[in-house]
Amino acid sequence: KEGHSLAQLEILCKQLYETTETGVRLQAEKALVEFTNSPDCLSKCQLLLERGSSSYSQLLAATCLSKLVSRTSNPLPLEQRIDIRNYVLNYLATRPKLAEFVTQALIQLYSRITKLGWFDCQKDDYVFRNVIADVTRFLQDSVEHCIIGVTILSQLTNEINQLNLCLCVQADTSHPLTKHRKIASSFRDSSLFDIFTLSCNLLKQVSILAFWVIFLAEPYFSDPTSCASTSAAVLVFQSLSDPNNYHEFCRLLARLKSNYQLGELVKVENYPEVIRLIANFTVTSLQHWEFAPNSVHYLLSLWQRLAASVPYVKATEPHLLETYTPEVTKAYITSRLESVCIILRDGLEDPLDDAGLVQQQLDQLSTIGRCEYEKTCALLVQLFDQSAQTYQELLQSTNSSTIDITVQEGRLTWLVYIIGAVIGGRVSFASTDEQDAMDGELVCRVLQLMNLTDSRLAQAGNERLELAMLSFFEQFRKIYIGDQVQKSSKVSTFTVTTHTLLCFRPETITNLKYWGQCEPITSKTLQLLNDLSIGYPLPSVRKLVKLSAVQFMLNNHTSEHFSFLGVNNQSNLSDMRCRTTFYTALGRLLMVDLGEDEDQFEQFMLPLTAAFEAVAQMFSTNTFNEQEAKRTLVGLVRDLRGIAFAFNAKTSFMMLFDWIYPAYMPILQRAIELWYHVPACTTPVLKLMAELVHNRSQRLQFDVSSPNGILLFRETSKMITTYGNRILTIGEVPKDQVYSVKLKGVSVCFSMLKAVLSGNYVNFGVFRLYGDDALDNALQTFIKLLLSIPHSDLLDYPKLSQSFYSLLEVLTQDHMNFIASLEPHVVMYILSSISEGLTALDTMVCTGCCSSLDHIVTYLFKQLSRSTKKRPAAMATDDRFLLIMQQHPEMIQQMLSTVLNIIIFEDCRNQWSMSRPLLGLILLNEKYFADLRNSIVNSQPPEKQQAMHLCFENLMEGIERNLLTKNRDRFTQNLSVFRREVNDSMKNSSYGVNSNDMMS
């Protein structure tokens, strides 16, 4: 029966991992889930590992064991987990040649057991902390065992750094993050340095061995036929013929950072031979580009670091890099050019399609190519002239083949990319006028090629070549346009000349005209335009605005001239994102000479006015083309958001405000009412509104007699209320869609409300004074939206976290009366969200929570102080808030424990922020703080208790029972000293390891 059960399990594993039939796989998965939950799962897993005949059964056993040791209910006893840990180590040691995925699963199991049991003791021994001893026996054995040992170290470090929800059961608390951090901190203090030291020693040994490998490989480079006479070299290159070995060998070379490290690993007198061999190895590898292409990164990384060290070398010994870097540069360039024809001929995967990989290699080449730059430049000029001449001749010939033209376009694409890279590698302090002149030679050639390709765009174009051009322009802009440009006459003349020719050449308009349907080219072109329009240095932008091409864009920004502005040519609404970038750039360029000229502004806005009128006309009828209305509106609000972002001065922004309000605001409100359930429509509208109410650079400053600030808030309140109440009616949303459908819009509403509440252009007291419910409506909608979001979602989505906690900070600072008036369950929800946010990994969220908590604690302290001084009775809402806090003292006490825990045990990156609410928390909970202090002191070893007690005494030294600024500042200073003294006291102490979890 037992054998039959194992056989059945192996069949199920085979069906799960190998079958292509969905039904069979689902049945197998269901049966294996039942097996995982069965009482005899543990014993069956051991039998599978011992007797299983397939790797899949071993994988199942390892996976099931990981689930067993991680489960949150009915956890395994300590002795059983120790047995599993020992069994896994012995299993790996006696079976070093398991399938890779089985080895990985078993190492994952070991890492999980070790982490979850990090604080477990057996007879005063922390039984899961013998990591170094566990791994050392692997490192002292065969190569296969060494690989397992290193993988264990790597996987364990990674596991310690990841948050596992199964930590909840270990901590008996709802705060797994705190438990995770305590484990990570303890692991860091007790084991990480030993692991680092062990790894460094291993790396050094392997590096020395690798250089002997290079020496043994010498015959291969000098005369491949002589390899047969050197048995060691034959073995070396048999090993390197395996792509994995070759790849790892290249990674090893990449770890070397300078020629000094080379000298440390080999005898100094052998350095010239070593660097020659490495250069030969690199050149040979680059020339055989089709083998192990991923290793190119590591080889170039080594030479990039070597070349980068040249300007700083002061030693008298020759580094020989001036000899070998040109060879490496030439090998890379020529091999890329030669690959073009082979890739087309054989239908291979083109590396130019992987933009990230190309950019990574070019970034490395940019440094290598600038070393002995005259040789690099001469090579590029020669190769570029040859390809460009051949390309031009092919274009002029009537019988040229398409393949030949495509090959030359591919070669020119690589050359344009590489020219941009080497120009981008210019370092100002190490550059000379001669090198800048070389840059000019290369730039002129690219410009000439640009003129040639532009003349063909009406008939045909090459997308890759256009993207290479844009990459080149971006590199040139970063180096030669801006405050980093040197003031020598040659550079200035060169910059002005090329700026006029290049930086806003007709290519920008040409690209937007002919490549409007190509998103990569359009977005990169617009990004380049946006970067050029930022406005520094101002004389460059003024020259830019005077160019006819720019004036044409400012006067003709319609779909007739720029197809990407069309309404009916996008496949979906999200394709319009680039329009915001376009109008941000146009808005900045318009502002250069706009001043107070309202006529010029109105002229510029004519296309957008027409679009608004078209949408208004559609909304005024009972039947209209909904798809066309959506596209028109979404495009329009994206355009307006770009303009609003660019107009950061009061004069220009007021023109925009007067243009949109009140005439067109009802259209935006109507769109929210109609399409609240379509995030592709509502999100752009909400983001536009959030931008309009953002008082960036104090641009929203209305006259003292103007009601516009209040009117703008009323429109904001109406939009938040309309969207919020409707989005709450859509019902349950699948987890994978909840952010896009609901939470993204809610996040924008939170940002919008925060911006308008903190904009300092609305007196919120007038709303209650005159019976206006706009403020109450906005705040109540915020509460409804908040209560519809689980706590976990508040922290799982970073943008939502930041918008919510920044809004909460404003509310607790300026609207505590509203917070105090809320129902008890709402108050508890808000306090719980603050408590959760205090332990967030995002420092911005954590800091915001500290500030919000400080405002709440200060408010409570003042209310209590007033009641003890027999001041006039507070409002009923204040009494309610105090009553809630008195009924649930554990909430404030919990946050006191949390803050103190972070300050004592963790790498607190915002100590000042943490200190501000801590004093109020202590003053509100003096007895609890005293108990907490005594618990901490008593948990220390007897010889350290007095020192810890003194730390707490010094913390409150000179602190009065008030929250005045002077008293707070003194406490913050004391806390800084306290943290340092506690850390010193706890060194070599077991505290924080076996003590009660302060979070529970």
Side-chain angles (χ1 to χ4, degrees):
K1 181 179 180 182
E2 189 175 85
H4 176 73
S5 298
L6 292 178
Q8 282 295 106
L9 287 172
E10 292 205 334
I11 292 173
L12 290 171
C13 290
K14 190 175 181 66
Q15 291 174 344
L16 178 65
Y17 292 111
E18 288 188 348
T19 186
T20 58
E21 299 180 23
T22 305
V24 174
R25 186 169 63 250
L26 290 176
Q27 281 296 113
E29 184 178 357
K30 182 178 178 181
L32 290 174
V33 168
E34 293 175 357
F35 163 71
T36 304
N37 297 324
S38 65
D40 61 347
C41 178
L42 183 61
S43 59
K44 286 293 195 298
C45 284
Q46 184 173 352
L47 288 173
L48 279 174
L49 288 171
E50 290 291 342
R51 305 180 189 176
S53 60
S54 74
S55 298
Y56 294 136
S57 60
Q58 295 168 332
L59 176 62
L60 172 67
T63 304
C64 289
L65 287 173
S66 290
K67 292 180 179 178
L68 286 175
V69 301
S70 304
R71 66 188 183 190
T72 56
S73 59
N74 191 23
L76 295 179
L78 175 61
E79 292 76 12
Q80 217 163 29
R81 284 183 284 129
I82 294 173
D83 290 342
I84 294 174
R85 189 272 310 271
N86 294 338
Y87 179 82
V88 168
L89 288 172
N90 185 63
Y91 194 86
L92 288 168
T94 55
R95 295 170 174 82
K97 295 186 179 181
L98 293 167
E100 184 178 353
F101 57 85
V102 176
T103 302
Q104 189 67 33
L106 289 169
I107 292 174
Q108 174 68 40
L109 169 59
Y110 168 82
S111 302
R112 180 63 57 83
I113 292 177
T114 301
K115 177 174 181 175
L116 297 181
W118 192 256
F119 289 152
D120 290 340
C121 281
Q122 188 181 58
K123 298 179 181 179
D124 297 327
D125 178 28
Y126 294 102
V127 288
F128 291 102
R129 298 196 184 185
N130 303 320
V131 177
I132 300 299
D134 293 342
V135 172
T136 299
R137 63 173 176 157
F138 286 93
L139 300 179
Q140 294 173 346
D141 210 319
S142 66
V143 173
E144 290 85 359
H145 286 89
C146 285
I147 293 172
I148 293 173
V150 173
T151 307
I152 289 175
L153 293 178
S154 173
Q155 185 61 46
L156 176 61
T157 305
N158 186 57
E159 176 71 24
I160 292 289
N161 198 39
Q162 289 182 347
L163 173 63
N164 307 109
L165 295 180
C166 51
L167 286 171
C168 294
V169 69
Q170 302 290 332
D172 191 25
T173 175
S174 60
H175 296 273
L177 181 58
T178 299
K179 187 70 176 179
H180 158 74
R181 284 174 159 176
K182 292 183 72 173
I183 293 172
S185 298
S186 176
F187 175 80
R188 176 197 63 198
D189 295 340
S190 63
S191 303
L192 190 58
F193 182 76
D194 292 336
I195 292 175
F196 175 75
T197 304
L198 181 60
S199 302
C200 288
N201 291 334
L202 284 171
L203 178 60
K204 185 174 181 180
Q205 294 170 15
V206 174
S207 299
I208 294 173
L209 177 61
F211 280 107
W212 281 112
V213 168
I214 295 175
F215 276 117
L216 291 172
E218 159 62 10
Y220 175 82
F221 294 115
S222 58
D223 180 8
T225 61
S226 66
C227 274
S229 63
T230 312
S231 59
V234 171
L235 292 173
V236 166
F237 279 94
Q238 283 178 345
S239 174
L240 290 181
S241 66
D242 183 333
N244 291 328
N245 293 345
Y246 180 89
H247 189 60
E248 288 303 311
F249 181 69
C250 295
R251 289 183 61 187
L252 169 68
L253 290 180
R255 292 191 179 105
L256 302 173
K257 294 184 180 179
S258 72
N259 55 300
Y260 297 111
Q261 282 182 283
L262 289 172
E264 291 175 3
L265 293 171
V266 296
K267 293 181 179 180
V268 174
E269 57 267 24
N270 291 334
Y271 172 80
E273 184 67 8
V274 171
I275 201 70
R276 181 182 72 81
L277 291 171
I278 294 177
N280 290 342
F281 179 80
T282 303
V283 169
T284 303
S285 299
L286 292 174
Q287 289 171 342
H288 295 84
W289 54 268
E290 64 273 28
F291 301 112
N294 292 335
S295 298
V296 172
H297 162 74
Y298 298 104
L299 294 171
L300 293 180
S301 178
L302 168 67
W303 287 95
Q304 179 190 27
R305 289 165 177 169
L306 290 170
S309 68
V310 171
Y312 306 97
V313 172
K314 304 298 182 184
T316 57
E317 294 84 1
H319 52 66
L320 301 179
L321 295 178
E322 73 281 358
T323 301
Y324 295 115
T325 50
E327 294 182 12
V328 172
T329 302
K330 181 178 180 180
Y332 179 84
I333 296 173
T334 55
S335 64
R336 301 311 105 170
L337 300 186
E338 291 166 1
S339 71
V340 174
C341 184
I342 299 173
I343 288 170
L344 283 172
R345 183 193 66 196
D346 299 339
L348 302 177
E349 185 177 350
D350 195 334
L352 285 171
D353 292 333
D354 189 341
L357 177 66
V358 171
Q359 192 57 54
Q360 186 182 65
Q361 293 180 3
L362 293 175
D363 288 344
Q364 295 167 326
L365 186 70
S366 65
T367 305
I368 304 169
R370 295 297 292 200
C371 189
E372 298 299 306
Y373 188 44
E374 64 278 1
K375 294 180 181 179
T376 302
C377 183
L379 175 65
L380 287 172
V381 167
Q382 176 193 350
L383 294 173
F384 192 96
D385 287 349
Q386 290 173 355
S387 292
Q389 183 177 354
T390 304
Y391 183 52
Q392 189 168 14
E393 291 171 355
L394 288 171
L395 294 179
Q396 293 171 349
S397 175
T398 56
N399 58 352
S400 300
S401 70
T402 304
I403 292 294
D404 290 340
I405 293 176
T406 305
V407 168
Q408 293 306 318
E409 287 178 339
R411 291 171 63 90
L412 289 169
T413 298
W414 273 112
L415 287 168
V416 172
Y417 268 125
I418 292 169
I419 288 172
V422 296
I423 289 176
R426 178 184 185 273
V427 180
S428 58
F429 72 85
S431 295
T432 62
D433 289 347
E434 289 73 18
Q435 289 185 343
D436 290 339
M438 295 177 205
D439 285 350
E441 289 290 319
L442 296 175
V443 168
C444 290
R445 282 165 169 77
V446 176
L447 291 176
Q448 290 170 353
L449 177 63
M450 173 204 73
N451 292 330
L452 178 61
T453 56
D454 282 356
S455 66
R456 298 187 65 243
L457 276 179
Q459 294 81 36
N462 187 295
E463 180 179 336
R464 289 175 179 157
L465 185 53
E466 285 299 328
L467 289 171
M469 294 275 194
L470 290 168
S471 175
F472 161 79
F473 296 148
E474 178 57 25
Q475 294 296 329
F476 177 85
R477 183 199 66 80
K478 288 193 294 189
I479 296 300
Y480 281 108
I481 303 173
D483 59 325
Q484 72 270 36
V485 176
Q486 302 297 306
K487 301 303 180 183
S488 66
S489 58
K490 287 187 179 180
V491 178
S492 296
T493 302
F494 174 65
T495 303
V496 172
T497 303
T498 51
H499 185 193
T500 304
L501 290 174
L502 165 67
C503 292
F504 210 92
R505 66 194 187 98
E507 169 78 357
T508 306
I509 291 181
T510 304
N511 276 353
L512 297 179
K513 180 178 179 181
Y514 289 103
W515 295 99
Q517 303 304 314
C518 179
E519 195 277 333
I521 291 180
T522 300
S523 61
K524 288 182 181 297
T525 302
L526 291 175
Q527 189 57 53
L528 176 63
L529 169 63
N530 188 50
D531 292 340
L532 290 168
S533 70
I534 286 177
Y536 193 87
L538 189 58
S540 296
V541 180
R542 290 196 180 281
K543 287 177 180 149
L544 203 61
V545 172
K546 295 184 184 302
L547 294 176
S548 59
V550 176
Q551 288 299 313
F552 178 85
M553 297 182 76
L554 290 174
N555 295 313
N556 299 277
H557 46 98
T558 62
S559 59
E560 178 185 353
H561 300 284
F562 304 101
S563 61
F564 69 92
L565 294 176
V567 172
N568 298 316
N569 63 344
Q570 282 90 8
S571 58
N572 57 67
L573 296 176
S574 62
D575 289 342
M576 300 185 183
R577 289 194 181 99
C578 62
R579 296 175 64 146
T580 302
T581 307
F582 179 62
Y583 273 96
T584 298
L586 286 191
R588 291 194 183 113
L589 295 170
L590 178 67
M591 279 184 60
V592 172
D593 295 322
L594 180 62
E596 300 177 359
D597 191 342
E598 294 185 5
D599 291 339
Q600 183 182 355
F601 172 78
E602 294 287 345
Q603 183 68 30
F604 174 80
M605 298 296 288
L606 282 178
L608 288 86
T609 304
F612 249 139
E613 295 296 340
V615 176
Q617 181 63 33
M618 284 187 268
F619 281 175
S620 66
T621 60
N622 293 328
T623 58
F624 59 88
N625 186 327
E626 187 171 354
Q627 198 63 23
E628 181 183 354
K630 286 180 179 178
R631 292 184 180 280
T632 304
L633 180 80
V634 170
L636 175 61
V637 296
R638 289 191 183 278
D639 299 345
L640 286 172
R641 184 177 167 220
I643 296 173
F645 183 83
F647 282 13
N648 54 8
K650 178 183 176 181
T651 303
S652 56
F653 190 79
M654 283 299 107
M655 290 183 192
L656 177 63
F657 179 82
D658 292 337
W659 178 85
I660 199 172
Y661 180 85
Y664 300 126
M665 200 62 73
I667 298 175
L668 301 181
Q669 300 285 5
R670 179 63 176 152
I672 293 293
E673 294 173 3
L674 286 174
W675 300 316
Y676 64 91
H677 57 289
V678 185
C681 292
T682 54
T683 301
V685 175
L686 293 172
K687 284 187 174 181
L688 170 61
M689 195 66 183
E691 182 60 42
L692 289 174
V693 300
H694 190 176
N695 194 12
R696 183 181 290 108
S697 303
Q698 298 300 303
R699 62 188 184 180
L700 272 167
Q701 294 296 323
F702 300 104
D703 295 336
V704 67
S705 59
S706 171
N708 281 342
I710 294 172
L711 295 174
L712 179 59
F713 178 80
R714 292 178 67 179
E715 292 294 334
T716 306
S717 172
K718 182 179 178 182
M719 185 168 289
I720 292 173
T721 304
T722 300
Y723 176 78
N725 289 333
R726 282 168 169 74
I727 201 65
L728 290 174
T729 66
I730 63 174
E732 193 69 23
V733 181
K735 182 67 175 177
D736 60 335
Q737 301 176 26
V738 69
Y739 182 76
S740 59
V741 172
K742 176 185 174 184
L743 296 183
K744 187 173 183 180
V746 172
S747 175
V748 178
C749 285
F750 287 174
S751 298
M752 185 195 313
L753 185 56
K754 184 261 181 180
V756 76
L757 289 177
S758 60
N760 201 30
Y761 51 85
V762 182
N763 184 340
F764 292 101
V766 302
F767 291 99
R768 177 170 295 175
L769 183 63
Y770 292 102
D772 191 324
D773 58 2
L775 177 61
D776 286 339
N777 289 342
L779 296 178
Q780 291 298 335
T781 303
F782 156 69
I783 294 299
K784 291 179 187 176
L785 292 172
L786 178 62
L787 293 178
S788 73
I789 304 172
H791 270 138
S792 58
D793 285 352
L794 283 178
L795 291 173
D796 286 348
Y797 300 100
K799 289 185 178 179
L800 177 63
S801 296
Q802 293 177 8
S803 62
F804 164 67
Y805 284 108
S806 60
L807 170 58
L808 187 60
E809 185 178 352
V810 173
L811 288 173
T812 54
Q813 179 177 358
D814 299 325
H815 300 272
M816 256 316 292
N817 286 334
F818 167 74
I819 299 293
S821 69
L822 295 172
E823 294 296 324
H825 71 284
V826 182
V827 173
M828 296 304 293
Y829 183 97
I830 291 175
L831 291 175
S832 297
S833 68
I834 293 175
S835 180
E836 294 283 345
L838 287 171
T839 59
L841 297 176
D842 188 332
T843 304
M844 180 185 295
V845 169
C846 180
T847 301
C849 286
C850 290
S851 181
S852 299
L853 180 58
D854 185 31
H855 297 319
I856 291 173
V857 168
T858 302
Y859 177 87
L860 281 172
F861 189 81
K862 287 181 178 178
Q863 296 300 321
L864 288 171
S865 297
R866 287 174 182 171
S867 63
T868 57
K869 294 177 181 177
K870 299 183 179 180
R871 298 277 298 275
M875 295 187 343
T877 55
D878 298 337
D879 292 338
R880 179 199 293 178
F881 190 68
L882 291 175
L883 182 61
I884 294 171
M885 294 298 98
Q886 290 167 355
Q887 290 174 344
H888 299 278
E890 73 281 356
M891 183 63 71
I892 295 294
Q893 293 170 359
Q894 174 73 55
M895 288 190 274
L896 169 57
S897 296
T898 300
V899 174
L900 195 60
N901 183 59
I902 293 172
I903 288 173
I904 292 177
F905 293 108
E906 299 183 19
D907 183 18
C908 186
R909 291 170 292 176
N910 53 347
Q911 184 176 315
W912 187 91
S913 298
M914 285 282 181
S915 73
R916 306 316 274 187
L918 182 57
L919 176 58
L921 289 169
I922 291 173
L923 295 181
L924 288 174
N925 299 274
E926 291 179 292
K927 184 179 183 304
Y928 179 80
F929 176 70
D931 294 341
L932 193 61
R933 177 194 60 200
N934 294 335
S935 174
I936 295 172
V937 171
N938 293 334
S939 66
Q940 291 295 299
E943 69 274 10
K944 289 183 176 288
Q945 290 184 5
Q946 182 59 35
M948 183 62 72
H949 179 78
L950 185 60
C951 288
F952 278 96
E953 289 290 326
N954 293 338
L955 175 63
M956 304 307 293
E957 178 69 28
I959 302 301
E960 301 174 359
R961 202 179 186 286
N962 63 65
L963 293 179
L964 300 178
T965 302
K966 184 178 180 181
N967 200 41
R968 288 172 180 265
D969 292 343
R970 184 183 298 114
F971 179 79
T972 298
Q973 294 171 2
N974 287 2
L975 187 66
S976 179
V977 176
F978 168 80
R979 185 169 186 268
R980 184 171 63 250
E981 290 178 345
V982 166
N983 286 338
D984 291 341
S985 174
M986 285 171 38
K987 284 180 180 177
N988 303 318
S989 169
S990 62
Y991 174 72
V993 174
N994 197 31
S995 62
N996 292 328
D997 193 335
M998 291 169 60
M999 292 297 298
S1000 60

